[in-house]
C-alpha cells in the first residue's frame, strides 16, 4: 500500500498529462475541422464554373418503357421534375470495348511518333537518308515478321480509325446502360437534386452528385444497386480476413520458397545461388520476400478491392482504400509490435525506480519505444529526404530519357510527378500520430520526434503539394472527416493504453480515464453530427453564390464525354448517334 | 438418446413450422410495406392542394445580423437560394402568452354562450322574463362575489379583446424566434428543400418538411439544435428507467397506501371504510391502485416525454410515444409474465407425453398460454365489444347532454369521437401479434384466436376509421415503418423463444433457428434500406405531379397562422405587424 501511495503523485501527473494530451487533440482537431470546412466552402462557392457542380449522376434507372428510348425516358423523367433548369442528359454506355480499341489506337499513334523521331534522329550529316526503324510484329516485338515501323504503324492506325468509329456508334446506340449523367443550368438545382430522393423506390433512380469527369470510374456505373450493396459487404469481409489472417498464406509461401527448394525446382539458378554473396543475401531476405512483396502491393490490392465495391469516383475509392490501409497499419504494425513486444514491461521498469523517472525514460527507453523512435526518426530522415530530393524519380527519369524516350511527349510523361498517393501516405502519417500519442506520456522523448516529423512534414509536403505534385482529382476536402475519425480512433487507442497502464499500477483513479474515453466518443459523435453532412453534400447556400460568367452548358456537357467516345473530325457524333437511336426507335 | 430420436420428427415439424411462420411473416409484411408505400404515394401525388406540401420548416436560424430584421434575414437567405419559387416566409413567434389570453377569451365566449342559452331556456310561458343566470367570480365558481353571468362575461370579453390585440402585436414584433416557415410556389422545390442541407453548418438553418398546420407543436419550434439532441438522450434514459424500474416507486406507494394507513391519516373516511362491501373492494384493489393509475397514465406520460424531446409535429410525437409504449408492453407484459411464469415448463409437459401432443396442447395448455389465450379473447370480446358499441362514450355523452351541455356547440363537442388514439392502440395490437407469434408453434390453439382478433379487428376498425373517428392529423403512412420494425422485433423474439425451446430439447439442428434469426435481421435491414427514405421524405417524382388548380398561396400562408394570432376584424394584422417591425427596425 505504501508503494501505491508513493506512486500516486507520479500517476496523478500521468493522468493529468493524459487529460492534457486528449484535450489538446480535441481542440486542435476541432479547429482543423472548422478550417477544412472553411476551405471546402471557399472552393465550392468559387465563382469559376466547375463542370461537376452542374451535373448529377443517376444510377439504377428502371427498364425502358415500351416505345421509348433510354434517353427519352431519362429526359422526360427529369424534365417533369425540373421543367426550368433541366438542360440535357447523357446516357452512360458500356465503353469497355471502345476503350480497348481507343487505347490500342493511341498506343500505335505514340509508337508512330516514336518511330518518326528515331528516323529523324538517324538522319545525320553522314547518312542524310537515315535508317528507317524496323520492328517485329509478334509478342513484345521479339518474334514475328520484321517490318518497316512507320509504314506498319500508319497501316494499323488507318485500320483502327474506322473500327473505332464503328464501335463508337455501336456503343452509343446499343450499349446504353441504366445510368445517366443529368445536366442542369443551375448549381443550386444540381446540388439539391444530388441530395434528394427522386423515386418512391429507394433502389431506382438513385441520384448522387456527379464526380469530376476525370475521376469517374466508368465501369462502376454499370453496377446495380443490390450488387453494389452486396459487393460492399463482401469487400469488407475480404479486407477483414486480409487484415487478420494475411500472415497465414505468407507464412506458407515463405515455408515453401526456401533456398533449397529454389535450387531444386529452378536448377538453372544453381550456379548463381552458389556464389557466397548472393547466397548470404538470399538466405537473409528470401523468408521475408513474400511479406515484402505483399506489403508493397497491399495499397494497390486495397484500392482494387475498394473499386470493386462499385464506388463511382476515383477519390472516393482512394478514401476507402486509405481507410482500410489505416486499420491494417494500426492492427499489424502498431498493435502487432506492441503486444508482441513489451509495451507493458516498460511500465515495470519505470515502477522499479520511481524517483529516477526522467533518467529511466531518457536512458533505458524500452525496446518498443526505441523501435518506434527509430521508426519515426527513419521516417523523417529517410522518408522526407527521399521526398524532398525526389532522388528515385530523378534517377528513373534520367534512365528513361537516355534509353527509352525519343519524342517530346515521352520525355514529358517521364517527368510527370504524378499525385500525392494518398492511399499509403495518409495511413502512414496516422500511424506516426498513433505512435506519438501512445508513447507521449510514458516515453515523452518521442514528442520532439513527432513535432519534428510533422513540422518538417508541413514544410516539405506544402512545398511538394504546391510545386511538385499534380493532383489527379479534387475532392474539396472530402477525405478530412475520414482522417479525423481515424485520428480520434488513435486517441482512443492511446486512452485505452493508458487505462491498461493505470490498471496495472492499481491506480485508484483509473476510472477517470474511462471518463476520457466516453468524452472521446461524444466528441467524435458531435463532430460527425455537426460537420459530416456538409462534407458529404454541397450545401445549397454555398451553391447559390454568383458565378463569374454564365456557364457554357455545351462545354460542360462535352467535358463528360469519355475520351474514347469523343471524336475529333465529327464533333456531333455523340448527339447524332443519340438522335439516331431516337429515330430508329420511333420508326420501329 | 432414444428419447431424443423419438422426439426428432416432432422437433423437425416444429422447426419447419417455425420457418413457415417466419417466411409467411416476411412475405406478408413485405406486401404490406409495398401496399402502404403505394397508398402514401397516391396520397402525396394527389392533385388537391395540401398546404404542408408547399412549405418547409426552418429551425436554428443564426442570430440576426446588424441592421436587419429576422424576416429580412430569412427572406434574403431563401430568395438567394430559390429566386424563382420562393413565395414568403413566416417567422415563428413565442405564442405562449398570447395563446393564454386567447384561451381565456375563448373560454369566456363559451361561457357567455352558455349563460345566454340558460337564460333563453329559463324564459318559459310561466315566467316570460326568465331568470338571469348568476355565478360567483372566485375559484371554480364556488367562492367570491355573485354577479350576473351575461354581464360579467361580456365585460370580461370586452376587457380581453384589446388585451389580446395588444399582445398579438407585441408577439409578432418582439417575440420572434430563430425558426420560420418558408413557403414556395412549387411542390417540387418544397420537397427538395426539405431534404437538402442548406448551410455549411449542419446545426444552423436546419430544414425539414413542414408538418400540417393542425399538428405543429409551436412551443417545440423554439428549442435549439443541441438542446433537442440532449433532450432526446435524456428522454431515452428516462424512458429506459421507467420501463425497467417502474415497479420500485409503485411498490413503495402501495406499501404506504394500505387501508390501515388510509384510515389513520384520513380519519374522516373511517365511517365509509367500515362498510363491509367497500372494505372488501378496497382491500382487493388498493394494493394495485398505484399500478392501475400508473398504467392508465403511462401513454400520456410517454407522449409528454416524446414531446419534451423537441419534436415539432404531433404525429411524430405520437409515433415516438407509441414506439416507447411497445417496448414497455413487451418487456413488462409479455416477457414479465412469461419469465415470471412458466413458459419453459410447458415444454416439459409436452415432452412427457410426446404422442398425445395435440391433446396436451388442447387440454393442458400451460398456465401462461391460458393466461394469454384469455388475454386475447378478452381483448376481442370485451375490447371490440366496447369499441363497436362505444357504450362508454355513449353513456358519457348522455350524461353530459343531460347535466352539462347547454348550447349547440357544447353538444357537438361532447359528441365528437376524437381520433384513434394510436399511442396505446398500436402497441396493444403489436402485443397480440407477439403473443400469437410466440405461442403459434408450441400452443397453436392461440392461432384461431389471433385470426379472429385481427379478422374482427379489420372489420370493426375499418368501420370505426371510416365512419366514427375523426383523424386529428394525416401523416401519410409515416408510422408504418415504425410498426414494421416492431413487428419484426416480435418475430425475432419468437425466433429466440424457439431457439431456447430447441436448446432445452437438445435438438441437433438448433443452429437452423440461428439462420432464421440472421435472415430476420437481413430482412429488416433490406426493408429499411429499400423503403424507409420514401417514408421519411417526399420523393421529387411524386411531388412533381400536376395539381388540379394553381395553388392559392395567400390561403396556404394563412393556414399556418396559429389561431391565437389570427384576427377576425383586421385580416392584415399579421402582415402589418411584420412590416411595422421592418419599418421600426429600419428607422433605428
Amino acid at each position: 500500500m505504501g508503494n501505491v501511495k508513493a506512486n500516486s503523485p507520479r500517476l496523478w501527473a500521468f493522468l493529468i498529462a493524459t487529460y492534457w494530451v486528449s484535450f489538446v487533440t480535441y481542440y486542435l482537431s476541432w479547429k482543423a475541422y472548422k478550417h477544412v470546412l472553411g476551405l471546402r466552402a471557399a472552393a465550392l462557392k468559387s465563382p469559376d464554373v466547375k463542370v461537376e457542380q452542374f451535373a448529377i449522376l443517376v444510377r439504377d434507372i428502371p427498364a425502358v418503357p415500351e416505345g421509348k428510348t433510354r434517353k427519352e425516358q431519362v429526359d422526360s423523367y427529369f424534365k417533369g421534375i425540373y421543367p426550368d433548369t433541366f438542360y440535357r442528359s447523357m446516357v452512360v454506355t458500356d465503353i469497355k470495348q471502345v476503350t480497348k480499341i481507343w487505347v490500342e489506337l493511341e498506343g500505335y499513334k505514340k509508337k508512330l511518333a516514336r518511330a518518326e523521331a528515331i528516323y529523324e534522329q538517324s538522319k545525320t550529316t553522314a547518312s542524310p537518308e537515315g535508317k528507317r526503324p524496323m520492328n517485329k510484329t509478334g509478342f513484345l516485338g521479339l518474334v514475328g515478321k520484321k517490318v518497316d515501323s512507320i509504314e506498319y504503324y500508319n497501316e494499323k492506325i488507318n485500320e483502327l480509325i474506322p473500327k473505332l468509329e464503328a464501335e463508337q456508334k455501336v456503343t452509343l446506340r446499343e450499349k446504353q446502360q441504366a445510368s445517366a449523367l443529368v445536366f442542369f443550368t443551375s448549381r443550386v438545382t444540381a446540388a439539391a437534386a444530388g441530395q434528394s430522393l427522386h423515386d418512391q423506390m429507394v433502389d431506382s433512380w438513385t441520384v448522387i452528385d456527379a464526380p469530376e469527369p476525370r475521376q469517374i470510374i466508368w465501369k462502376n456505373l454499370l453496377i446495380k444497386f443490390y450488387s453494389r450493396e452486396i459487393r460492399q459487404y463482401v469487400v469488407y469481409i475480404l479486407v477483414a480476413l486480409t487484415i487478420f489472417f494475411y500472415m497465414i498464406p505468407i507464412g506458407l509461401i515463405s515455408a515453401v520458397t526456401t533456398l533449397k527448394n529454389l535450387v531444386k525446382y529452378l536448377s538453372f539458378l544453381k550456379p548463381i545461388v552458389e556464389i557466397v554473396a548472393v547466397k548470404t543475401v538470399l538466405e537473409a531476405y528470401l523468408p521475408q520476400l513474400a511479406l515484402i512483396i505483399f506489403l508493397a502491393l497491399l495499397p494497390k490490392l486495397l484500392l482494387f478491392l475498394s473499386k470493386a465495391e462499385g464506388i463511382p469516383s476515383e477519390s472516393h475509392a482512394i478514401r476507402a482504400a486509405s481507410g482500410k490501409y489505416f486499420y491494417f497499419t494500426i492492427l499489424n504494425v502498431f498493435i502487432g509490435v506492441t503486444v508482441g513486444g513489451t509495451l507493458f514491461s516498460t511500465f515495470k521498469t519505470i515502477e522499479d525506480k520511481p524517483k529516477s523517472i526522467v533518467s529511466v525514460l531518457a536512458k533505458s527507453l524500452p525496446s518498443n519505444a526505441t523501435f518506434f523512435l527509430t521508426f519515426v526518426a527513419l521516417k523523417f530522415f529517410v522518408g522526407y529526404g527521399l521526398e524532398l530530393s525526389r532522388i528515385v524519380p530523378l534517377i528513373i527519369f534520367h534512365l528513361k530519357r537516355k534509353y527509352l524516350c525519343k519524342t517530346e511527349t515521352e520525355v514529358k510523361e517521364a517527368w510527370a510527378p504524378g499525385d500525392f498517393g494518398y492511399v499509403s501516405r495518409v495511413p502512414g502519417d496516422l500511424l506516426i500520430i498513433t505512435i506519438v500519442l501512445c508513447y507521449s506520456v510514458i516515453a515523452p522523448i518521442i514528442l520532439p520526434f513527432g513535432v519534428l516529423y510533422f513540422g518538417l512534414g508541413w514544410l516539405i509536403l506544402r512545398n511538394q503539394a504546391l510545386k511538385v505534385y499534380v493532383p489527379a482529382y479534387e475532392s474539396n476536402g472530402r477525405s478530412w472527416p475520414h482522417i479525423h475519425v481515424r485520428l480520434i480512433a488513435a486517441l482512443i487507442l492511446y486512452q485505452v493504453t493508458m487505462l491498461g497502464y493505470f490498471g496495472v499500477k492499481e491506480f485508484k483513479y483509473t476510472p477517470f480515464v474511462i471518463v476520457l474515453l466516453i468524452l472521446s466518443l461524444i466528441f467524435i459523435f458531435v463532430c460527425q453530427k455537426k460537420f459530416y453532412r456538409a462534407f458529404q453534400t454541397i450545401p445549397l447556400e454555398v451553391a447559390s453564390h454568383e458565378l463569374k460568367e454564365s456557364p457554357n452548358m455545351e462545354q460542360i456537357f462535352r467535358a463528360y464525354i469519355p475520351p474514347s467516345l469523343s471524336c475529333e473530325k465529327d464533333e456531333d457524333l455523340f448527339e447524332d448517334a443519340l438522335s439516331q437511336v431516337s429515330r430508329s426507335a420511333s420508326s420501329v
Side-chain angles (χ1 to χ4, degrees), chain A:
Chain A
M1 283 303 269
N3 194 18
V4 171
K5 271 205 176 156
N7 277 331
S8 251
R10 195 165 55 76
L11 288 174
W12 267 108
F14 275 23
L15 185 63
I16 290 163
T18 309
Y19 264 77
W20 194 81
V21 169
S22 300
F23 279 99
V24 167
T25 311
Y26 298 151
Y27 176 74
L28 291 178
S29 71
W30 177 269
K31 291 284 269 189
Y33 222 134
K34 280 202 143 175
H35 183 65
V36 178
L37 188 65
L39 292 176
R40 175 175 164 82
L44 288 177
K45 65 169 75 154
S46 109
D48 301 318
V49 172
K50 283 174 185 161
V51 294
E52 69 275 11
Q53 292 193 338
F54 292 88
I56 54 168
L57 175 60
V58 186
R59 292 182 288 179
D60 314 303
I61 303 173
V64 183
E66 200 79 22
K68 260 193 181 178
T69 65
R70 175 68 75 188
K71 193 169 159 54
E72 283 167 2
Q73 180 198 18
V74 174
D75 283 1
S76 74
Y77 190 85
F78 283 97
K79 246 181 222 157
I81 299 175
Y82 307 99
D84 305 321
T85 48
F86 173 79
Y87 172 67
R88 201 171 159 181
S89 72
M90 181 193 286
V91 175
V92 171
T93 50
D94 182 357
I95 58 167
K96 195 179 161 193
Q97 197 58 36
V98 75
T99 302
K100 206 174 140 194
I101 298 171
W102 181 75
V103 166
E104 207 184 342
L105 177 64
E106 291 295 306
Y108 281 125
K109 278 184 183 165
K110 246 186 224 168
K111 280 179 183 164
L112 176 64
R114 187 185 153 84
E116 277 169 348
I118 292 170
Y119 182 49
E120 248 1 88
Q121 279 166 17
S122 70
K123 284 181 189 165
T124 52
T125 42
S127 59
E129 292 277 295
K131 194 184 152 225
R132 288 187 77 84
M134 309 287 278
N135 69 310
K136 288 179 180 170
T137 57
F139 177 72
L140 281 179
L142 294 175
V143 291
K145 214 173 60 168
K146 211 165 184 183
V147 291
D148 182 295
S149 295
I150 295 173
E151 266 172 35
Y152 175 71
Y153 292 137
N154 263 320
E155 204 173 280
K156 277 282 176 193
I157 288 167
N158 289 334
E159 227 170 72
L160 279 172
I161 285 176
K163 204 174 154 193
L164 177 69
E165 279 169 10
E167 182 61 35
Q168 282 178 341
K169 273 179 196 153
V170 168
T171 302
L172 289 172
R173 198 180 305 143
E174 286 162 23
K175 295 187 177 171
Q176 300 194 342
Q177 300 292 321
S179 303
L181 287 148
V182 176
F183 298 88
F184 297 100
T185 53
S186 140
R187 289 208 286 190
V188 173
T189 311
Q195 302 178 43
S196 298
L197 181 70
H198 280 70
D199 201 74
Q200 271 269 311
M201 288 296 161
V202 174
D203 54 358
S204 70
W205 297 99
T206 52
V207 164
I208 56 169
D209 292 330
E212 289 179 313
R214 57 180 169 175
Q215 51 165 314
I216 291 186
I217 305 172
W218 290 98
K219 71 176 193 314
N220 278 358
L221 301 190
L222 318 181
I223 302 168
K224 294 279 173 65
F225 186 82
Y226 290 107
S227 175
R228 290 202 300 273
E229 290 287 323
I230 292 165
R231 276 159 177 261
Q232 203 184 356
Y233 291 104
V234 170
V235 166
Y236 287 170
I237 292 166
L238 279 179
V239 169
L241 290 178
T242 309
I243 290 176
F244 286 105
F245 304 114
Y246 75 99
M247 282 310 288
I248 295 171
I250 286 170
L252 287 176
I253 295 169
S254 297
V256 174
T257 55
T258 58
L259 207 55
K260 227 173 167 182
N261 281 340
L262 215 65
V263 173
K264 196 167 154 193
Y265 294 105
L266 304 167
S267 52
F268 63 86
L269 286 177
K270 206 173 179 183
I272 304 167
V273 170
E274 295 292 280
I275 304 162
V276 177
V278 173
K279 197 175 175 182
T280 316
V281 171
L282 275 181
E283 266 173 350
Y285 286 104
L286 204 57
Q288 293 163 32
L289 198 63
L291 181 63
I292 291 165
I293 292 170
F294 170 79
L295 288 178
L297 292 181
L298 187 64
K300 290 210 175 6
L301 172 71
L302 291 176
L303 188 58
F304 168 77
L305 283 174
S306 297
K307 282 183 182 171
E309 283 180 38
I311 291 169
S313 85
E314 195 77 34
S315 65
H316 188 170
I318 286 176
R319 274 202 298 283
S322 171
K324 292 178 179 106
Y325 195 48
F326 169 77
Y327 293 115
F328 177 85
T329 319
I330 291 297
L331 268 164
N332 288 301
V333 179
F334 183 73
I335 297 186
V337 169
T338 307
V339 172
T342 45
L343 176 68
F344 285 96
S345 76
T346 73
F347 303 144
K348 197 80 195 156
T349 318
I350 297 167
E351 191 179 25
D352 288 347
K353 302 177 199 168
K355 282 164 198 166
S356 61
I357 172 81
V358 178
S359 64
V360 166
L361 282 171
K363 285 177 200 161
S364 59
L365 264 177
S367 50
N368 273 319
T370 320
F371 173 83
F372 282 122
L373 239 160
T374 323
F375 186 86
V376 174
L378 253 172
K379 262 269 189 176
F380 81 72
F381 283 126
V382 180
Y384 283 143
L386 285 176
E387 179 65 60
L388 200 57
S389 60
R390 290 185 52 77
I391 200 93
V392 179
L394 196 71
I395 294 169
I396 292 174
F397 168 69
H398 279 287
L399 287 175
K400 270 191 182 168
R401 198 175 59 170
K402 188 133 197 197
Y403 299 107
L404 287 172
C405 304
K406 299 291 173 189
T407 63
E408 201 63 13
T409 334
E410 282 176 330
V411 174
K412 251 190 194 161
E413 250 172 40
W415 183 246
D419 77 346
F420 249 117
Y422 289 105
V423 177
S424 51
R425 187 182 297 273
V426 172
D429 285 353
L430 280 171
L431 175 63
I432 306 284
I433 287 182
T434 313
I435 292 167
V436 170
L437 276 178
C438 288
Y439 284 90
S440 61
V441 167
I442 53 164
I445 193 145
I446 208 146
L447 285 174
F449 287 84
V451 170
L452 255 175
Y453 179 80
F454 287 106
L456 271 176
W458 186 73
L459 285 173
I460 292 169
L461 292 179
R462 198 166 166 277
N463 171 70
Q464 305 296 89
L466 291 174
K467 298 188 184 145
V468 179
Y469 293 117
V470 179
Y473 58 81
E474 180 57 59
S475 74
N476 293 316
R478 281 190 68 172
S479 58
W480 171 253
H482 303 268
I483 297 174
H484 185 255
V485 166
R486 287 167 179 82
L487 181 68
I488 302 303
L491 184 71
I492 289 172
L493 186 62
Y494 156 62
Q495 288 164 349
V496 169
T497 311
M498 291 315 291
L499 190 69
Y501 174 66
F502 289 127
V504 166
K505 306 298 255 186
E506 292 173 14
F507 184 44
K508 262 199 296 187
Y509 298 97
T510 308
F512 277 104
V513 187
I514 295 171
V515 172
L516 215 46
L517 273 171
I518 294 167
L519 262 181
S520 291
L521 292 173
I522 293 174
F523 177 71
I524 196 66
F525 177 77
V526 169
C527 281
Q528 293 278 9
K529 193 104 189 172
K530 188 176 168 73
F531 298 118
Y532 191 67
R533 239 187 114 189
F535 278 89
Q536 234 182 347
T537 56
I538 300 174
L540 299 190
E541 195 273 326
V542 169
S544 72
H545 282 252
E546 290 260 318
L547 285 164
K548 211 159 53 188
E549 54 200 8
S550 71
N552 179 344
M553 288 311 298
E554 186 58 23
Q555 206 170 304
I556 289 170
F557 177 80
R558 296 234 152 251
Y560 275 94
I561 298 174
S564 59
L565 280 181
S566 74
C567 186
E568 293 117 32
K569 68 170 186 181
D570 184 4
E571 272 294 319
D572 275 352
L573 170 70
F574 202 86
E575 179 62 3
D576 266 9
L578 288 175
S579 45
Q580 199 171 337
V581 182
S582 316
R583 274 199 299 279
S584 65
S586 52
S587 67
V588 165

